mmCIF file of all heavy atoms in Angstrom:
data_model
loop_
_atom_site.group_PDB
_atom_site.id
_atom_site.type_symbol
_atom_site.label_atom_id
_atom_site.label_comp_id
_atom_site.label_asym_id
_atom_site.label_seq_id
_atom_site.Cartn_x
_atom_site.Cartn_y
_atom_site.Cartn_z
ATOM 1 N N VAL A 227 20.375 14.072 -8.326
ATOM 2 C CA VAL A 227 19.405 13.801 -9.391
ATOM 3 C C VAL A 227 18.650 15.090 -9.685
ATOM 4 O O VAL A 227 18.686 16.049 -8.909
ATOM 5 C CB VAL A 227 18.413 12.683 -8.986
ATOM 6 C CG1 VAL A 227 19.137 11.367 -8.777
ATOM 7 C CG2 VAL A 227 17.622 13.069 -7.738
ATOM 8 N N GLY A 228 17.939 15.133 -10.828
ATOM 9 C CA GLY A 228 17.162 16.300 -11.189
ATOM 10 C C GLY A 228 15.861 16.389 -10.422
ATOM 11 O O GLY A 228 15.425 15.430 -9.770
ATOM 12 N N LEU A 229 15.205 17.550 -10.516
ATOM 13 C CA LEU A 229 13.937 17.762 -9.809
ATOM 14 C C LEU A 229 12.872 16.778 -10.282
ATOM 15 O O LEU A 229 12.124 16.219 -9.476
ATOM 16 C CB LEU A 229 13.443 19.197 -10.019
ATOM 17 C CG LEU A 229 13.994 20.277 -9.085
ATOM 18 C CD1 LEU A 229 13.469 21.642 -9.492
ATOM 19 C CD2 LEU A 229 13.609 19.968 -7.641
ATOM 20 N N SER A 230 12.768 16.571 -11.590
ATOM 21 C CA SER A 230 11.754 15.650 -12.101
ATOM 22 C C SER A 230 12.043 14.218 -11.668
ATOM 23 O O SER A 230 11.119 13.437 -11.411
ATOM 24 C CB SER A 230 11.664 15.734 -13.627
ATOM 25 O OG SER A 230 12.914 15.420 -14.221
ATOM 26 N N THR A 231 13.323 13.858 -11.544
ATOM 27 C CA THR A 231 13.680 12.521 -11.053
ATOM 28 C C THR A 231 13.314 12.374 -9.586
ATOM 29 O O THR A 231 12.804 11.333 -9.152
ATOM 30 C CB THR A 231 15.180 12.259 -11.244
ATOM 31 O OG1 THR A 231 15.503 12.406 -12.623
ATOM 32 C CG2 THR A 231 15.558 10.860 -10.783
ATOM 33 N N ALA A 232 13.554 13.420 -8.806
ATOM 34 C CA ALA A 232 13.136 13.399 -7.407
ATOM 35 C C ALA A 232 11.618 13.320 -7.306
ATOM 36 O O ALA A 232 11.072 12.631 -6.436
ATOM 37 C CB ALA A 232 13.658 14.639 -6.681
ATOM 38 N N GLY A 233 10.916 14.019 -8.193
ATOM 39 C CA GLY A 233 9.458 13.961 -8.200
ATOM 40 C C GLY A 233 8.945 12.562 -8.498
ATOM 41 O O GLY A 233 7.825 12.210 -8.114
ATOM 42 N N PHE A 234 9.765 11.743 -9.167
ATOM 43 C CA PHE A 234 9.386 10.367 -9.458
ATOM 44 C C PHE A 234 9.181 9.560 -8.183
ATOM 45 O O PHE A 234 8.481 8.532 -8.190
ATOM 46 C CB PHE A 234 10.465 9.717 -10.330
ATOM 47 C CG PHE A 234 10.164 8.302 -10.715
ATOM 48 C CD1 PHE A 234 9.138 8.004 -11.604
ATOM 49 C CD2 PHE A 234 10.916 7.248 -10.197
ATOM 50 C CE1 PHE A 234 8.861 6.691 -11.960
ATOM 51 C CE2 PHE A 234 10.649 5.940 -10.552
ATOM 52 C CZ PHE A 234 9.612 5.662 -11.436
ATOM 53 N N LEU A 235 9.758 10.006 -7.062
ATOM 54 C CA LEU A 235 9.534 9.329 -5.783
ATOM 55 C C LEU A 235 8.058 9.346 -5.410
ATOM 56 O O LEU A 235 7.539 8.408 -4.800
ATOM 57 C CB LEU A 235 10.368 9.992 -4.682
ATOM 58 C CG LEU A 235 11.882 9.816 -4.788
ATOM 59 C CD1 LEU A 235 12.593 10.739 -3.817
ATOM 60 C CD2 LEU A 235 12.266 8.353 -4.539
ATOM 61 N N VAL A 236 7.361 10.423 -5.751
ATOM 62 C CA VAL A 236 5.917 10.498 -5.529
ATOM 63 C C VAL A 236 5.208 9.530 -6.469
ATOM 64 O O VAL A 236 4.272 8.821 -6.086
ATOM 65 C CB VAL A 236 5.408 11.938 -5.737
ATOM 66 C CG1 VAL A 236 3.894 12.016 -5.563
ATOM 67 C CG2 VAL A 236 6.099 12.896 -4.772
ATOM 68 N N THR A 237 5.664 9.481 -7.711
ATOM 69 C CA THR A 237 5.038 8.600 -8.700
ATOM 70 C C THR A 237 5.209 7.135 -8.329
ATOM 71 O O THR A 237 4.260 6.344 -8.414
ATOM 72 C CB THR A 237 5.651 8.853 -10.094
ATOM 73 O OG1 THR A 237 5.425 10.207 -10.465
ATOM 74 C CG2 THR A 237 5.027 7.943 -11.130
ATOM 75 N N VAL A 238 6.406 6.727 -7.917
ATOM 76 C CA VAL A 238 6.645 5.315 -7.619
ATOM 77 C C VAL A 238 5.869 4.893 -6.379
ATOM 78 O O VAL A 238 5.367 3.753 -6.293
ATOM 79 C CB VAL A 238 8.157 5.030 -7.460
ATOM 80 C CG1 VAL A 238 8.702 5.573 -6.140
ATOM 81 C CG2 VAL A 238 8.435 3.538 -7.571
ATOM 82 N N PHE A 239 5.736 5.794 -5.414
ATOM 83 C CA PHE A 239 4.932 5.511 -4.225
ATOM 84 C C PHE A 239 3.482 5.268 -4.632
ATOM 85 O O PHE A 239 2.862 4.261 -4.274
ATOM 86 C CB PHE A 239 5.037 6.697 -3.261
ATOM 87 C CG PHE A 239 4.402 6.471 -1.909
ATOM 88 C CD1 PHE A 239 5.167 6.098 -0.823
ATOM 89 C CD2 PHE A 239 3.046 6.653 -1.723
ATOM 90 C CE1 PHE A 239 4.593 5.915 0.435
ATOM 91 C CE2 PHE A 239 2.459 6.462 -0.480
ATOM 92 C CZ PHE A 239 3.236 6.091 0.598
ATOM 93 N N ALA A 240 2.935 6.207 -5.415
ATOM 94 C CA ALA A 240 1.550 6.090 -5.849
ATOM 95 C C ALA A 240 1.355 4.910 -6.789
ATOM 96 O O ALA A 240 0.334 4.216 -6.734
ATOM 97 C CB ALA A 240 1.113 7.384 -6.526
ATOM 98 N N GLY A 241 2.328 4.669 -7.665
ATOM 99 C CA GLY A 241 2.227 3.545 -8.582
ATOM 100 C C GLY A 241 2.163 2.213 -7.845
ATOM 101 O O GLY A 241 1.430 1.292 -8.249
ATOM 102 N N THR A 242 2.933 2.102 -6.776
ATOM 103 C CA THR A 242 2.882 0.890 -5.953
ATOM 104 C C THR A 242 1.500 0.704 -5.351
ATOM 105 O O THR A 242 0.959 -0.409 -5.319
ATOM 106 C CB THR A 242 3.932 0.964 -4.831
ATOM 107 O OG1 THR A 242 5.226 1.150 -5.406
ATOM 108 C CG2 THR A 242 3.926 -0.297 -3.997
ATOM 109 N N VAL A 243 0.922 1.804 -4.874
ATOM 110 C CA VAL A 243 -0.435 1.748 -4.320
ATOM 111 C C VAL A 243 -1.423 1.278 -5.380
ATOM 112 O O VAL A 243 -2.293 0.438 -5.118
ATOM 113 C CB VAL A 243 -0.840 3.125 -3.763
ATOM 114 C CG1 VAL A 243 -2.298 3.123 -3.321
ATOM 115 C CG2 VAL A 243 0.055 3.520 -2.593
ATOM 116 N N VAL A 244 -1.292 1.816 -6.593
ATOM 117 C CA VAL A 244 -2.206 1.463 -7.679
ATOM 118 C C VAL A 244 -2.148 -0.031 -7.984
ATOM 119 O O VAL A 244 -3.176 -0.704 -8.116
ATOM 120 C CB VAL A 244 -1.870 2.274 -8.942
ATOM 121 C CG1 VAL A 244 -2.633 1.747 -10.149
ATOM 122 C CG2 VAL A 244 -2.200 3.745 -8.722
ATOM 123 N N ILE A 245 -0.938 -0.569 -8.088
ATOM 124 C CA ILE A 245 -0.770 -1.967 -8.477
ATOM 125 C C ILE A 245 -1.165 -2.914 -7.355
ATOM 126 O O ILE A 245 -1.782 -3.969 -7.598
ATOM 127 C CB ILE A 245 0.688 -2.227 -8.897
ATOM 128 C CG1 ILE A 245 1.027 -1.423 -10.167
ATOM 129 C CG2 ILE A 245 0.946 -3.709 -9.115
ATOM 130 C CD1 ILE A 245 2.500 -1.432 -10.518
ATOM 131 N N ALA A 246 -0.843 -2.554 -6.118
ATOM 132 C CA ALA A 246 -0.943 -3.520 -5.020
ATOM 133 C C ALA A 246 -2.219 -3.440 -4.204
ATOM 134 O O ALA A 246 -2.586 -4.422 -3.544
ATOM 135 C CB ALA A 246 0.258 -3.349 -4.089
ATOM 136 N N THR A 247 -2.931 -2.306 -4.206
ATOM 137 C CA THR A 247 -4.016 -2.121 -3.247
ATOM 138 C C THR A 247 -5.130 -3.151 -3.391
ATOM 139 O O THR A 247 -5.504 -3.815 -2.414
ATOM 140 C CB THR A 247 -4.614 -0.704 -3.399
ATOM 141 O OG1 THR A 247 -3.620 0.252 -3.038
ATOM 142 C CG2 THR A 247 -5.814 -0.543 -2.471
ATOM 143 N N THR A 248 -5.700 -3.295 -4.589
ATOM 144 C CA THR A 248 -6.831 -4.212 -4.754
ATOM 145 C C THR A 248 -6.436 -5.664 -4.484
ATOM 146 O O THR A 248 -7.167 -6.370 -3.773
ATOM 147 C CB THR A 248 -7.443 -4.055 -6.158
ATOM 148 O OG1 THR A 248 -7.866 -2.688 -6.328
ATOM 149 C CG2 THR A 248 -8.641 -4.962 -6.327
ATOM 150 N N PRO A 249 -5.291 -6.166 -5.018
ATOM 151 C CA PRO A 249 -4.895 -7.544 -4.655
ATOM 152 C C PRO A 249 -4.661 -7.731 -3.158
ATOM 153 O O PRO A 249 -5.078 -8.748 -2.586
ATOM 154 C CB PRO A 249 -3.595 -7.754 -5.440
ATOM 155 C CG PRO A 249 -3.670 -6.800 -6.576
ATOM 156 C CD PRO A 249 -4.396 -5.606 -6.042
ATOM 157 N N LEU A 250 -4.005 -6.768 -2.503
ATOM 158 C CA LEU A 250 -3.772 -6.888 -1.061
ATOM 159 C C LEU A 250 -5.085 -6.856 -0.286
ATOM 160 O O LEU A 250 -5.264 -7.589 0.692
ATOM 161 C CB LEU A 250 -2.849 -5.764 -0.584
ATOM 162 C CG LEU A 250 -1.375 -5.886 -0.948
ATOM 163 C CD1 LEU A 250 -0.603 -4.646 -0.497
ATOM 164 C CD2 LEU A 250 -0.762 -7.135 -0.336
ATOM 165 N N ALA A 251 -6.013 -5.999 -0.718
ATOM 166 C CA ALA A 251 -7.317 -5.930 -0.060
ATOM 167 C C ALA A 251 -8.060 -7.252 -0.202
ATOM 168 O O ALA A 251 -8.722 -7.718 0.743
ATOM 169 C CB ALA A 251 -8.142 -4.789 -0.646
ATOM 170 N N ALA A 252 -7.971 -7.883 -1.378
ATOM 171 C CA ALA A 252 -8.637 -9.168 -1.591
ATOM 172 C C ALA A 252 -7.999 -10.266 -0.732
ATOM 173 O O ALA A 252 -8.703 -11.094 -0.143
ATOM 174 C CB ALA A 252 -8.568 -9.554 -3.068
ATOM 175 N N LEU A 253 -6.671 -10.265 -0.636
ATOM 176 C CA LEU A 253 -5.973 -11.292 0.143
ATOM 177 C C LEU A 253 -6.234 -11.165 1.632
ATOM 178 O O LEU A 253 -6.174 -12.166 2.366
ATOM 179 C CB LEU A 253 -4.463 -11.213 -0.126
ATOM 180 C CG LEU A 253 -3.990 -11.676 -1.512
ATOM 181 C CD1 LEU A 253 -2.516 -11.341 -1.695
ATOM 182 C CD2 LEU A 253 -4.222 -13.181 -1.678
ATOM 183 N N THR A 254 -6.516 -9.967 2.101
ATOM 184 C CA THR A 254 -6.676 -9.734 3.546
ATOM 185 C C THR A 254 -8.120 -9.469 3.948
ATOM 186 O O THR A 254 -8.365 -9.015 5.066
ATOM 187 C CB THR A 254 -5.814 -8.533 3.978
ATOM 188 O OG1 THR A 254 -6.216 -7.357 3.232
ATOM 189 C CG2 THR A 254 -4.341 -8.788 3.727
ATOM 190 N N ARG A 255 -9.073 -9.764 3.070
ATOM 191 C CA ARG A 255 -10.466 -9.397 3.360
ATOM 192 C C ARG A 255 -11.038 -10.129 4.567
ATOM 193 O O ARG A 255 -12.013 -9.659 5.175
ATOM 194 C CB ARG A 255 -11.336 -9.652 2.134
ATOM 195 C CG ARG A 255 -11.488 -11.102 1.738
ATOM 196 C CD ARG A 255 -12.274 -11.239 0.436
ATOM 197 N NE ARG A 255 -12.510 -12.631 0.055
ATOM 198 C CZ ARG A 255 -11.649 -13.378 -0.597
ATOM 199 N NH1 ARG A 255 -10.477 -12.850 -0.952
ATOM 200 N NH2 ARG A 255 -11.922 -14.639 -0.898
ATOM 201 N N ARG A 256 -10.477 -11.277 4.947
ATOM 202 C CA ARG A 256 -10.995 -12.041 6.080
ATOM 203 C C ARG A 256 -10.355 -11.635 7.406
ATOM 204 O O ARG A 256 -10.795 -12.087 8.462
ATOM 205 C CB ARG A 256 -10.784 -13.539 5.854
ATOM 206 C CG ARG A 256 -11.520 -14.076 4.625
ATOM 207 C CD ARG A 256 -11.354 -15.585 4.506
ATOM 208 N NE ARG A 256 -12.001 -16.091 3.308
ATOM 209 C CZ ARG A 256 -13.300 -16.391 3.225
ATOM 210 N NH1 ARG A 256 -14.075 -16.215 4.290
ATOM 211 N NH2 ARG A 256 -13.816 -16.851 2.099
ATOM 212 N N TYR A 257 -9.345 -10.812 7.362
ATOM 213 C CA TYR A 257 -8.619 -10.464 8.583
ATOM 214 C C TYR A 257 -9.256 -9.267 9.284
ATOM 215 O O TYR A 257 -9.945 -8.448 8.674
ATOM 216 C CB TYR A 257 -7.152 -10.160 8.270
ATOM 217 C CG TYR A 257 -6.378 -11.375 7.803
ATOM 218 C CD1 TYR A 257 -6.229 -11.651 6.449
ATOM 219 C CD2 TYR A 257 -5.804 -12.248 8.721
ATOM 220 C CE1 TYR A 257 -5.527 -12.767 6.012
ATOM 221 C CE2 TYR A 257 -5.102 -13.368 8.294
ATOM 222 C CZ TYR A 257 -4.966 -13.620 6.940
ATOM 223 O OH TYR A 257 -4.277 -14.725 6.514
ATOM 224 N N SER A 258 -8.996 -9.161 10.563
ATOM 225 C CA SER A 258 -9.510 -8.059 11.379
ATOM 226 C C SER A 258 -9.056 -6.714 10.807
ATOM 227 O O SER A 258 -7.864 -6.525 10.529
ATOM 228 C CB SER A 258 -9.000 -8.209 12.818
ATOM 229 O OG SER A 258 -9.092 -7.001 13.528
ATOM 230 N N ARG A 259 -10.011 -5.805 10.652
ATOM 231 C CA ARG A 259 -9.682 -4.479 10.127
ATOM 232 C C ARG A 259 -8.729 -3.735 11.075
ATOM 233 O O ARG A 259 -7.796 -3.077 10.641
ATOM 234 C CB ARG A 259 -10.952 -3.647 9.934
ATOM 235 C CG ARG A 259 -12.013 -4.264 9.041
ATOM 236 C CD ARG A 259 -11.587 -4.307 7.586
ATOM 237 N NE ARG A 259 -10.932 -5.563 7.251
ATOM 238 C CZ ARG A 259 -10.451 -5.842 6.036
ATOM 239 N NH1 ARG A 259 -10.567 -4.960 5.070
ATOM 240 N NH2 ARG A 259 -9.869 -6.994 5.794
ATOM 241 N N LYS A 260 -8.992 -3.823 12.361
ATOM 242 C CA LYS A 260 -8.150 -3.117 13.330
ATOM 243 C C LYS A 260 -6.717 -3.648 13.311
ATOM 244 O O LYS A 260 -5.754 -2.875 13.308
ATOM 245 C CB LYS A 260 -8.743 -3.253 14.731
ATOM 246 C CG LYS A 260 -7.909 -2.597 15.823
ATOM 247 C CD LYS A 260 -8.588 -2.658 17.177
ATOM 248 C CE LYS A 260 -7.697 -2.049 18.256
ATOM 249 N NZ LYS A 260 -8.355 -2.006 19.576
ATOM 250 N N SER A 261 -6.564 -4.964 13.263
ATOM 251 C CA SER A 261 -5.222 -5.551 13.234
ATOM 252 C C SER A 261 -4.464 -5.118 11.982
ATOM 253 O O SER A 261 -3.258 -4.839 12.038
ATOM 254 C CB SER A 261 -5.306 -7.078 13.291
ATOM 255 O OG SER A 261 -5.903 -7.501 14.501
ATOM 256 N N LEU A 262 -5.166 -5.052 10.864
ATOM 257 C CA LEU A 262 -4.518 -4.629 9.624
ATOM 258 C C LEU A 262 -4.035 -3.187 9.712
ATOM 259 O O LEU A 262 -2.962 -2.853 9.209
ATOM 260 C CB LEU A 262 -5.477 -4.784 8.449
ATOM 261 C CG LEU A 262 -5.636 -6.207 7.885
ATOM 262 C CD1 LEU A 262 -6.670 -6.210 6.767
ATOM 263 C CD2 LEU A 262 -4.309 -6.737 7.369
ATOM 264 N N VAL A 263 -4.835 -2.319 10.332
ATOM 265 C CA VAL A 263 -4.415 -0.919 10.483
ATOM 266 C C VAL A 263 -3.104 -0.853 11.255
ATOM 267 O O VAL A 263 -2.173 -0.123 10.877
ATOM 268 C CB VAL A 263 -5.507 -0.092 11.179
ATOM 269 C CG1 VAL A 263 -4.993 1.314 11.500
ATOM 270 C CG2 VAL A 263 -6.747 0.008 10.303
ATOM 271 N N VAL A 264 -2.998 -1.617 12.347
ATOM 272 C CA VAL A 264 -1.777 -1.610 13.154
ATOM 273 C C VAL A 264 -0.581 -2.121 12.345
ATOM 274 O O VAL A 264 0.494 -1.509 12.330
ATOM 275 C CB VAL A 264 -1.965 -2.473 14.420
ATOM 276 C CG1 VAL A 264 -0.647 -2.592 15.193
ATOM 277 C CG2 VAL A 264 -3.045 -1.884 15.314
ATOM 278 N N VAL A 265 -0.763 -3.242 11.642
ATOM 279 C CA VAL A 265 0.342 -3.839 10.881
ATOM 280 C C VAL A 265 0.842 -2.893 9.794
ATOM 281 O O VAL A 265 2.055 -2.689 9.638
ATOM 282 C CB VAL A 265 -0.101 -5.186 10.274
ATOM 283 C CG1 VAL A 265 0.943 -5.691 9.276
ATOM 284 C CG2 VAL A 265 -0.317 -6.221 11.366
ATOM 285 N N VAL A 266 -0.080 -2.308 9.034
ATOM 286 C CA VAL A 266 0.364 -1.459 7.929
ATOM 287 C C VAL A 266 1.023 -0.183 8.439
ATOM 288 O O VAL A 266 1.945 0.344 7.798
ATOM 289 C CB VAL A 266 -0.795 -1.126 6.966
ATOM 290 C CG1 VAL A 266 -1.298 -2.382 6.288
ATOM 291 C CG2 VAL A 266 -1.936 -0.394 7.652
ATOM 292 N N LEU A 267 0.598 0.319 9.588
ATOM 293 C CA LEU A 267 1.272 1.492 10.156
ATOM 294 C C LEU A 267 2.710 1.153 10.524
ATOM 295 O O LEU A 267 3.629 1.959 10.288
ATOM 296 C CB LEU A 267 0.510 2.007 11.374
ATOM 297 C CG LEU A 267 -0.771 2.799 11.103
ATOM 298 C CD1 LEU A 267 -1.478 3.142 12.412
ATOM 299 C CD2 LEU A 267 -0.482 4.073 10.320
ATOM 300 N N LEU A 268 2.934 -0.015 11.089
ATOM 301 C CA LEU A 268 4.302 -0.411 11.458
ATOM 302 C C LEU A 268 5.171 -0.619 10.225
ATOM 303 O O LEU A 268 6.348 -0.250 10.216
ATOM 304 C CB LEU A 268 4.253 -1.684 12.310
ATOM 305 C CG LEU A 268 3.599 -1.531 13.698
ATOM 306 C CD1 LEU A 268 3.544 -2.878 14.409
ATOM 307 C CD2 LEU A 268 4.342 -0.502 14.543
#
């Protein structure tokens, strides 16, 4: 693939964060912060 297409890997990663972060944070707001850190790292 081209360089700009490879660079899209950064965009799609960040785009996923943009779309999913606030809904995921709202869905998990009652859960232990420490447990969430462990799960997301895995």
Side-chain angles (χ1 to χ4, degrees):
V227 296
L229 275 176
S230 59
T231 303
F234 181 70
L235 292 169
V236 178
T237 300
V238 74
F239 188 98
T242 303
V243 174
V244 170
I245 295 170
T247 295
T248 302
L250 286 176
L253 289 171
T254 59
R255 66 185 183 276
R256 298 184 183 276
Y257 293 94
S258 161
R259 304 291 92 181
K260 178 175 177 176
S261 298
L262 281 177
V263 172
V264 174
V265 170
V266 295
L267 284 175
L268 293 177

